[in-house]
Amino acid sequence: MGEAGNGVKVGMKAGNKKVLLKNYVSGYVEESDMEIVTNDTVYLKLPQGYSNALLLKNLYLSCDPYMRNLMSKLDEPSYIDNFLPGSVIRGFGVSRVLDSGHSDFKAGDYVWGVTGWEEYTLITDTQSLFKIPIFTADIPLSYYTGLLGMPGFTAYVGFYEVCSPKKGEYVFISAASGAVGQLVGQFAKLMGCYVVGTAGSDEKVELLKTKFGFDDAFNYKKEKDLGVALKRCFPEGIDIYFENVGGAMLDAVLKNMRNNGRISVCGMISQYNLEKPEGIYNLMNLITKRIMMKGFVVMDYVHLYPKFLEMVIKYIKGGEITYLEDKAEGIENAPAALVGLFRGRNVGKQLVVVAHD
C-alpha cells in the first residue's frame, strides 16, 4: 500500500460519514430534511476501471444559499442538477487527493471545487475541480471555500465584470456581511467608491463599518420603510446595486437607483424558502432610468479565475482585504450550519470543518 500523505495508507478501509437529502424540501429548510449516515465505509483506493478519477479526502465544506434551490423538485432544468432524495448533498469544498488516475493530479495535491458532503468522495468528472497552487501555501486552505473560491470569484465577477464600476460611484450591497457581500464592499472601497451595506443584526452592521470599512450600513429589520433608509444613505441615489436578497429590498432599490445605474443579480436569499415568491412592482424604473440589471452564473466566467486570483492574492499579502469566517466543526454539524444561513445565524463565510488535514 502506498502513502497519500499525512499518514493515510492508500488501500486502507475507513468510515465515511455523509449527509443525505431525506426528501424534497418545501418552504424553509430544516435540519430534519437532511440525514447523517455513519455506517458507510470506503476503501482509500480508486476502484478498478476509474482511470481518470480522483479519490478525495474532504477537509472543508462550503455552505452556500444556492444549495437551498437544489433541495426542491425543479419543474424546469437549472444550470446545476438538483439533489435527489437519498443522495449525498453536493457543494463546493476543499479536499486533498488520496489517489489519482488523472494525469493532472497526484496524491497529496490540494484542490477546491464541487465535492460531496461526506468525509471521502470519488470524483469521476474533474472539470469542476481546481488545483490549489503552491504559491498560496501561506494562506489558510479554508479560504478556498470563500475568499479564494466560488464566493470570492462571484464577488469579483459580479462587481467588476457585470457592473463596470468607476471611482466615486455610489454602491449598495444587500446581505453585505456574508461571504460575497463583505468582499464586494471591500473591492468597491479599494476602487474609491462610496459603499453602504445592509445586514440583519446590529452586530453585523457594526462589523461592516468597523472591520470591512463600509462608509455606512443599516439593520434592515429595524427599518420601517426600506425606501426611506436608502434615501437617507444615498440622497443622490445608487449607481451600483449588488443584489443578494430580492423581494422588498430589490423593489425599494429600484426606486432609488440613478440614471444609467447597474444591478448585478447574484442571489435572492429572501425568496429561496418561499412557496410563492414575492412580486416586484417598480420594474418601470429599468426603462425610465436606463438601468442595466443582469443575472450571472459565476462559472460562465471561469476563464477569468487566474486574473482574479492574482489580484486577490496581492490584496491579501498587502493587508488590504479583511475576511471573516464562521466555522462549524464536524460534518455532523453541517445541516445546522446550512440551515443557519437562512436564519441569519452566521457571521461571515459559513463553512464546515470536516478534517484539518
Side-chain angles (χ1 to χ4, degrees):
M1 290 185 294
E3 292 275 356
N6 301 84
V8 174
K9 296 279 188 181
V10 173
M12 287 176 57
K13 195 174 183 181
N16 188 24
K17 288 182 189 175
K18 52 182 63 179
V19 182
L20 309 182
L21 178 68
K22 286 175 70 174
N23 297 292
Y24 286 124
V25 178
S26 177
Y28 273 86
V29 62
E30 303 288 350
E31 290 180 52
S32 58
D33 293 315
M34 293 166 271
E35 178 182 8
I36 307 291
V37 174
T38 60
N39 59 358
D40 190 49
T41 57
V42 63
Y43 283 100
L44 304 184
K45 184 174 177 60
L46 284 175
Q48 287 188 346
Y50 286 82
S51 58
N52 287 312
L54 301 177
L55 181 64
L56 304 181
K57 179 179 181 180
N58 296 317
L59 305 178
Y60 303 100
L61 301 176
S62 178
C63 296
D64 296 298
Y66 79 89
M67 298 172 72
R68 167 60 189 86
N69 285 345
L70 305 182
M71 293 179 165
S72 296
K73 190 171 185 178
L74 304 178
D75 295 326
E76 298 179 3
S78 179
Y79 66 97
I80 307 177
D81 292 336
N82 63 310
F83 305 143
L84 298 175
S87 68
V88 175
I89 289 172
R90 305 179 311 277
F92 286 90
V94 175
S95 313
R96 180 159 49 84
V97 178
L98 292 183
D99 197 10
S100 172
H102 197 291
S103 59
D104 291 341
F105 301 90
K106 65 181 186 299
D109 283 345
Y110 291 96
V111 296
W112 75 271
V114 177
T115 189
W117 273 33
E118 53 192 345
E119 292 178 291
Y120 301 94
T121 298
L122 177 66
I123 299 290
T124 57
D125 182 0
T126 60
Q127 287 188 329
S128 61
L129 287 182
F130 301 83
K131 190 185 295 188
I132 294 176
I134 295 174
F135 68 79
T136 66
D138 56 340
I139 295 171
L141 279 172
S142 61
Y143 277 21
Y144 282 91
T145 67
L147 174 54
L148 297 177
M150 185 273 291
F153 190 36
T154 297
Y156 173 86
V157 169
F159 183 60
Y160 292 107
E161 297 298 317
V162 175
C163 291
S164 301
K166 304 179 188 67
K167 182 179 179 180
E169 289 193 309
Y170 298 97
V171 178
F172 178 55
I173 304 153
S174 55
S177 66
V180 175
Q182 60 174 285
L183 292 173
V184 175
Q186 292 180 81
F187 290 159
K189 286 301 299 177
L190 287 165
M191 274 211 71
C193 298
Y194 180 82
V195 182
V196 177
T198 185
S201 73
D202 291 343
E203 176 193 8
K204 293 178 180 180
V205 166
E206 191 63 21
L207 278 172
L208 292 176
K209 293 192 286 187
T210 60
K211 191 175 184 70
F212 299 131
F214 283 52
D215 294 290
D216 203 355
F218 64 88
N219 182 348
Y220 70 88
K221 293 180 180 178
K222 287 189 170 182
E223 299 293 341
K224 294 180 181 179
D225 187 320
L226 293 174
V228 170
L230 291 172
K231 200 69 178 176
R232 181 179 72 238
C233 294
F234 296 100
E236 297 182 36
I238 300 165
D239 291 301
I240 291 174
Y241 173 44
F242 199 97
E243 165 69 303
N244 288 308
V245 170
M249 185 67 74
L250 173 58
D251 226 19
V253 167
L254 284 167
K255 292 182 69 174
N256 283 276
M257 291 294 292
R258 302 179 78 181
N259 287 346
N260 301 303
R262 287 90 72 207
I263 299 176
S264 180
V265 184
C266 173
M268 294 192 175
I269 194 171
S270 73
Q271 307 299 296
Y272 295 161
N273 292 292
L274 302 182
E275 293 188 33
K276 184 179 180 181
E278 295 174 313
I280 303 297
Y281 303 97
N282 293 319
L283 290 173
M284 183 62 73
N285 287 276
L286 295 176
I287 301 169
T288 59
K289 296 181 178 180
R290 298 84 157 171
I291 298 168
M292 186 281 292
M293 181 173 173
K294 182 178 180 180
F296 68 99
V297 174
V298 68
M299 299 314 286
D300 291 344
Y301 297 82
V302 69
H303 60 285
L304 296 176
Y305 182 74
K307 180 181 175 184
F308 153 77
L309 191 62
E310 180 182 4
M311 183 193 82
V312 175
I313 292 295
K314 182 182 71 173
Y315 284 151
I316 293 172
K317 294 188 173 181
E320 296 179 271
I321 279 188
T322 298
Y323 196 64
L324 187 62
E325 297 178 313
D326 192 330
K327 295 180 179 179
E329 290 280 343
I331 195 168
E332 63 276 7
N333 291 312
L338 182 61
V339 169
L341 281 182
F342 304 99
R343 304 293 195 272
R345 294 176 195 152
N346 63 302
V347 179
K349 168 60 193 169
Q350 183 66 68
L351 63 119
V352 178
V353 181
V354 181
H356 289 277
D357 203 15

